[in-house]
Amino acid sequence: QFLLQLILIGGASVLNVLGIEHVSNSNTLLMVITLLPFLLLFLCEIPHLDTKHWMDTPQTFDWRAFLPLISWNFSGFENAGHVVEEVAVPGKTLVRSLVLLLLLSQAVYIL
């Protein structure tokens, strides 16, 4: 276990020394490796999808289950302020992007 930890720390150190391009490429590769099983599961499930009930509207709505779910899904928006220094006109751009994001997210939930 110690050897594995040493290899991981050494590999991360070497990537950092080699430069940001190598770090970016390895992050992209790790992202693809992480998402690939989910994509394969989704593709394998497509033939078994039952779409006849997708547009059904429930007679009652459980707000006690819905509101915590929405709150959890939208958590992390407060972290958008961390990149404000990277934007040309942060006061305008950040507000616009967050409002657009919230509107689109709400539209997805409503649809």
Side-chain angles (χ1 to χ4, degrees):
Q1 186 177 6
F2 178 74
L3 182 61
L4 181 61
Q5 291 172 346
L6 192 62
I7 290 171
L8 287 173
I9 291 172
S13 299
V14 168
L15 279 174
N16 281 325
V17 169
L18 290 176
I20 190 72
E21 191 169 325
H22 292 289
V23 172
S24 174
N25 292 337
S26 57
N27 279 342
T28 303
L29 178 65
L30 286 174
M31 179 199 63
V32 169
I33 290 170
T34 303
L35 292 178
L36 192 60
F38 297 103
L39 178 64
L40 291 175
L41 283 171
F42 175 74
L43 292 176
C44 290
E45 193 60 32
I46 286 177
H48 307 287
L49 285 177
D50 182 19
T51 60
K52 63 183 172 187
H53 296 293
W54 280 12
M55 299 306 280
D56 290 349
T57 306
Q59 297 299 322
T60 61
F61 195 78
D62 187 7
W63 287 98
R64 290 180 296 169
F66 179 70
L67 290 176
L69 177 70
I70 290 293
S71 299
W72 183 77
N73 284 337
F74 289 156
S75 66
F77 283 152
E78 66 275 1
N79 293 328
H82 296 296
V83 296
V84 79
E85 294 176 357
E86 304 293 329
V87 180
V89 184
K92 194 177 191 180
T93 307
L94 187 64
V95 172
R96 263 193 214 162
S97 62
L98 287 177
V99 167
L100 182 62
L101 178 63
L102 284 171
L103 290 175
L104 290 174
S105 300
Q106 289 296 323
V108 166
Y109 277 104
I110 290 170
L111 297 176

